[in-house]
Amino acid sequence: MPARVRKKIAPPKPAQAVASNPFTRMVLNPAVDGANRVTIYGMADYTLRIEYTENLSNPDWQTLTSGRIDENGSFEFMDKTAVETRFYRVAPY
C-alpha cells in the first residue's frame, strides 16, 4: 500500500480592498455668513477633487478645491464663494 503524501497548503491571502466608489457621502451645511461647509466621507487617504456648477441644465463643472480624506474618513472644506444655487460633485484627483 502506497504511503500517503500530505501537502501543506498555505492559507489564502487576504483580499485587497478595491474601492469602486471610495466616497460614501457628501454633507452640505450652509453657514451663517453665506458660505457652505462641504464634508466628504469615504476611504481614508484617498485624494479627491470637489467640483461645482451653478446650472445642471448645461453644467460647466469647475474645480473648487482638492484634498485628502483623513485617517478618520472625512474631508471638510468651506466654500466661501458660494452663491444662492450651487451644485457639487466629488471626483478622484
Side-chain angles (χ1 to χ4, degrees):
M1 181 173 195
R4 287 189 168 170
V5 177
R6 290 189 176 186
K7 292 184 179 179
K8 193 171 190 177
I9 300 174
K13 294 180 182 178
Q16 292 181 328
V18 177
S20 60
N21 186 2
F23 316 112
T24 56
R25 68 184 162 138
M26 176 188 300
V27 177
L28 180 65
N29 291 307
V32 177
D33 62 359
N36 286 325
R37 180 186 317 260
V38 181
T39 307
I40 309 296
Y41 296 95
M43 202 168 75
D45 294 325
Y46 200 88
T47 303
L48 57 88
R49 185 174 71 235
I50 298 177
E51 298 177 339
Y52 74 95
T53 189
E54 293 167 6
N55 182 342
L56 288 178
S57 297
N58 188 16
D60 178 25
W61 293 101
Q62 302 292 316
T63 298
L64 185 61
T65 190
S66 60
R68 184 184 62 81
I69 297 176
D70 66 20
E71 62 276 355
N72 296 317
S74 66
F75 172 76
E76 188 173 285
F77 173 74
M78 288 295 287
D79 179 7
K80 296 181 180 181
T81 63
V83 294
E84 188 174 325
T85 302
R86 183 168 271 186
F87 303 92
Y88 299 91
R89 73 179 182 183
V90 179
Y93 189 73

